């Protein structure tokens, strides 16, 4: 049990780190939200799962925290992204796409 | 199989969610704790219940439980795939991204269903739902090939989730 | 602390530091909001990690409340950015 928990702890911490790295490397705010939200959410879940393996008696509270992060993290990023789009932040475009319309209308 | 009316399903689902939260927070299945939980959740639902119309979209039929489990499995698979995708993009030196904002269409009627679909889209490979307008969801796609139209975007981003969600939400 | 706990702590600290770097550098205010959002999630997780390291479940409650408060704060912030334009 001990080493399974350790593996999940490491995976979780590594994905949190990757999310932060994406936050630094991506060119604009929408891409930063993408990498930040996804990697950090899975990192958090995996880390909590690892703690659950180390301390099985805490699983109810860990499920609470994990479920809460799983539900709220995408909501807060979507709310932020929507606010930025409404406030007039234009998404970054790859150089080869610059001439194309910024938004593909359906 | 008759479906439970939205009005009733709103209270049943709210009560069940409240009890689940209570049991998880207290961490016991002791009789007295459960009784206190029933009282507290009932009082909460008496106050907040009428405003929880968003929960009315849940379909209370036995097959919904199966659909929910199938959805969760599909969702976690997509979540892990999304993270491997993010890791690949972040770690590769050339930063292979090609973002665009596209629209997808959803056939889900209830607000809860659209919320869940938007959430799922946010946590899956390369997509971030930005806004929900009626039956359209605005999606920021990190790797959109040029000339993606509504139909193909819907097929590639939303269709899989929608099939699963429709089993337990309207 | 075991070696694994130390490595995990270092990775989480590096994540928070990178987030804080983005918070300081900017370049625009939206970037700062996004990094604050990410740092708060990592902090929630780190508080749960405290609970494991110090063997005290009290920190789990702290983590939960911190997560709830940061979510509410982020949504409020998004509403402020949005203004009356929607």
């Amino acid at each position: 049990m001990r080493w399974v928990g350790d593996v999940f702890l490491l995976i979780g911490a590594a994905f949190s780190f990757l999310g932060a790295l994406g936050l630094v490397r991506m060119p604009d705010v929408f891409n930063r939200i993408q990498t930040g939200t996804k990697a950090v959410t899975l990192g958090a879940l995996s880390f909590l799962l690892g703690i659950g393996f180390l301390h099985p008696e805490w699983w109810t509270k860990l499920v609470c925290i994990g479920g809460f992060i799983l539900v709220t993290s995408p909501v807060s990023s979507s709310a932020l992204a929507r606010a930025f789009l409404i406030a007039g932040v234009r998404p970054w475009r790859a150089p080869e796409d610059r001439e194309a319309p910024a938004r593909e209308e359906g | 199989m008759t479906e439970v009316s939205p009005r009733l399903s709103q209270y049943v689902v709210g009560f069940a969610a409240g009890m689940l939260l209570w049991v998880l927070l207290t961490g016991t299945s002791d009789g007295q704790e459960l009784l206190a939980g029933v009282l507290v959740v009932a009082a909460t639902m008496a106050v907040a219940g009428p405003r929880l119309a968003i929960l009315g979209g849940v379909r209370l039929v036995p097959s919904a439980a199966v659909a929910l489990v199938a959805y969760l499995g599909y969702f976690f698979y997509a979540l892990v795939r999304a993270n491997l995708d993010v890791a690949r993009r972040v770690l590769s030196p050339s930063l292979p991204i090609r973002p665009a904002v596209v629209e997808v269409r959803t056939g889900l009627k209830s607000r809860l269903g659209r919320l869940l679909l938007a959430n799922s889209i946010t946590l899956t490979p390369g997509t971030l739902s930005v806004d929900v307008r009626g039956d359209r969801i605005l999606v920021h796609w990190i790797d959109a090939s040029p000339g993606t139209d509504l139909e193909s975007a819907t097929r590639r981003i939303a269709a899989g989730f929608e099939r699963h969600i429709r089993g337990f939400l309207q | 602390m075991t070696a694994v706990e130390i490595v995990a702590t270092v990775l989480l600290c590096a994540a928070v530091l990178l987030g804080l770097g983005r918070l300081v550098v900017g370049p625009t205010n939206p970037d700062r909001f996004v990094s604050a959002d990410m740092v708060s999630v990592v902090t929630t997780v780190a508080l749960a990690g405290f609970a494991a390291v110090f063997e005290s479940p009290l920190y789990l409650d702290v983590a939960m409340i911190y997560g709830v408060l940061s979510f509410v704060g982020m949504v409020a912030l998004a509403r402020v950015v949005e203004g009356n334009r929607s």
Side-chain angles (χ1 to χ4, degrees), chain A residues 30 80-90, chain B residues 130-131 133, chain C residues 79 81-86:
Chain A
F30 292 99
L80 281 175
R82 174 166 183 268
F84 299 151
L85 202 69
I86 290 175
V89 179
R90 296 266 67 87
Chain B
V130 176
D131 203 352
R133 291 177 187 150
Chain C
R79 285 283 170 261
V81 174
E82 221 166 274
N84 304 327
R85 273 166 289 207
S86 60

Side-chain angles (χ1 to χ4, degrees), chain B residues 14-57:
Chain B
F15 189 83
M19 278 312 287
L20 182 66
L21 188 63
W22 178 273
V23 170
L24 285 179
L25 279 178
T26 55
T28 60
S29 53
D30 182 53
Q32 293 193 350
E33 289 274 13
L34 284 185
L35 186 63
V38 169
L39 291 179
V40 171
V41 176
T44 314
M45 285 306 290
V47 176
R51 287 169 205 166
L52 291 177
I54 189 171
L55 294 178

Side-chain angles (χ1 to χ4, degrees), chain B residues 22-150:
Chain B
W22 178 273
V23 170
L24 285 179
L25 279 178
T26 55
T28 60
S29 53
D30 182 53
Q32 293 193 350
E33 289 274 13
L34 284 185
L35 186 63
V38 169
L39 291 179
V40 171
V41 176
T44 314
M45 285 306 290
V47 176
R51 287 169 205 166
L52 291 177
I54 189 171
L55 294 178
V58 180
R59 298 172 55 182
L60 288 178
V61 291
S63 67
V66 182
L68 181 61
V69 172
Y71 163 74
L72 284 178
Y74 185 79
F75 173 74
F76 277 105
Y77 170 67
L79 181 60
V80 171
R81 221 162 34 112
N83 277 279
L84 296 179
D85 179 72
V86 164
R88 181 177 65 79
R89 284 182 207 282
V90 169
L91 288 179
S92 68
S94 61
L95 215 58
I97 59 171
R98 202 158 176 195
V101 177
V102 298
E103 277 188 335
V104 302
R105 190 172 50 210
T106 168
L108 294 168
K109 295 280 182 295
S110 63
R111 279 163 64 207
L112 187 59
R114 285 173 188 169
L115 175 70
L116 197 59
L117 181 63
N119 256 6
S120 310
I121 288 175
T122 299
L123 286 178
T124 49
T127 50
L128 167 77
S129 47
V130 176
D131 203 352
V132 182
R133 291 177 187 150
D135 67 342
R136 303 291 173 91
I137 299 180
L138 214 57
V139 174
H140 181 263
W141 199 359
I142 206 169
D143 196 15
S145 40
T148 311
D149 63 350
L150 179 71

Side-chain angles (χ1 to χ4, degrees), chain C residues 60-70:
Chain C
L60 292 181
D61 299 292
V62 180
M64 207 176 317
I65 300 302
Y66 184 85
V68 172
L69 286 182
S70 71

